[in-house]
Amino acid sequence: MAEGEKTRLIAWSTELRAVHQRLREALRVTRAALDGGAANDPIAPDLLLFCHGFCTALTGHHQGEDRELFPAIAAAHPELRETLRKLTHDHTMIGQLMADLQAAVERGGSPAALRRHLEGIAAIMESHFRYEERQLLAVPESLALDADPHDVLGPL
C-alpha cells in the first residue's frame, strides 16, 4: 500500500470521529438556542434554523453511512454484519426521533416538549456514536473506499 493511500484510509477514521464531534456540537448549539428563549415565547426563528440544520446534518450522516460506508465494511469484514445491522437499526430509530422533533418544531411545541425531544435524541445519538466508534473506528483504515467523504459521512 502506497503511503498516500494509507494516509487517505487513516483519514477516514479521523473524519468519522470529527463528524461525530461536529454533530455533538450542532446538538449543543441547538440546545443553547432552545435554552436561550423564555419559556412562554414563541419558537424563535434561530431555533427553527438550528433544529432544521441539526436534523439535516444527522440524517445526511446516517444516510451516507448506510449507502456507502456500511456496505463497504460488510463486504470487507463479514464478521461485522451484526454490528452494522444494529447501527442501521439505530439510524432508523434516530430518524424517527428526528421526525418527531421536526413535527414538534413545526407545530410550535413548547420549549419543555422540544427539550424532551432533544434529550431523547441526545441520549440515543451519544450511545450510538460511542458504540460505532468502539466497534468500527479502525475498520475504515482497512478499506479500499474510493468515495467522497461528504457522500459517505454526511454534509458536515
Side-chain angles (χ1 to χ4, degrees):
M1 176 180 300
E3 188 59 36
E5 186 174 313
K6 183 174 180 174
T7 300
R8 181 182 60 81
L9 294 174
I10 291 170
W12 277 107
S13 294
T14 302
E15 185 61 19
L16 178 61
R17 184 179 282 128
V19 166
H20 286 176
Q21 281 305 112
R22 290 190 295 271
L23 286 165
R24 287 175 177 117
E25 178 62 14
L27 178 60
R28 188 198 65 71
V29 168
T30 303
R31 283 171 158 166
L34 178 61
D35 292 341
N40 296 322
D41 285 350
I43 296 176
D46 285 351
L47 177 59
L48 294 172
L49 180 64
F50 288 129
C51 282
H52 178 71
F54 170 68
C55 290
T56 299
L58 186 58
T59 299
H61 170 65
H62 287 161
Q63 288 173 343
E65 285 182 331
D66 291 345
R67 183 182 56 249
E68 300 277 344
L69 184 60
F70 290 178
I73 291 172
H77 297 278
E79 73 280 6
L80 292 173
R81 286 193 175 137
E82 181 59 22
T83 297
L84 297 171
R85 187 193 65 71
K86 289 176 183 176
L87 291 168
T88 301
H89 176 74
D90 283 357
H91 291 174
T92 301
M93 183 172 35
I94 291 168
Q96 183 57 55
L97 293 171
M98 299 295 279
D100 293 346
L101 170 63
Q102 283 286 102
V105 168
E106 289 168 7
R107 73 175 171 268
S110 71
L114 297 179
R115 198 170 287 109
R116 282 191 302 275
H117 283 287
L118 285 173
E119 291 307 316
I121 291 167
I124 301 292
M125 185 182 88
E126 188 59 35
S127 172
H128 172 80
F129 285 172
R130 288 178 186 221
Y131 178 74
E132 185 174 75
E133 289 172 2
R134 274 193 321 273
Q135 299 298 316
L136 300 183
L137 201 56
V139 174
E141 296 174 15
S142 69
L143 299 177
L145 186 59
D146 187 26
D148 181 344
H150 181 273
D151 292 337
V152 177
L153 299 176
L156 285 178

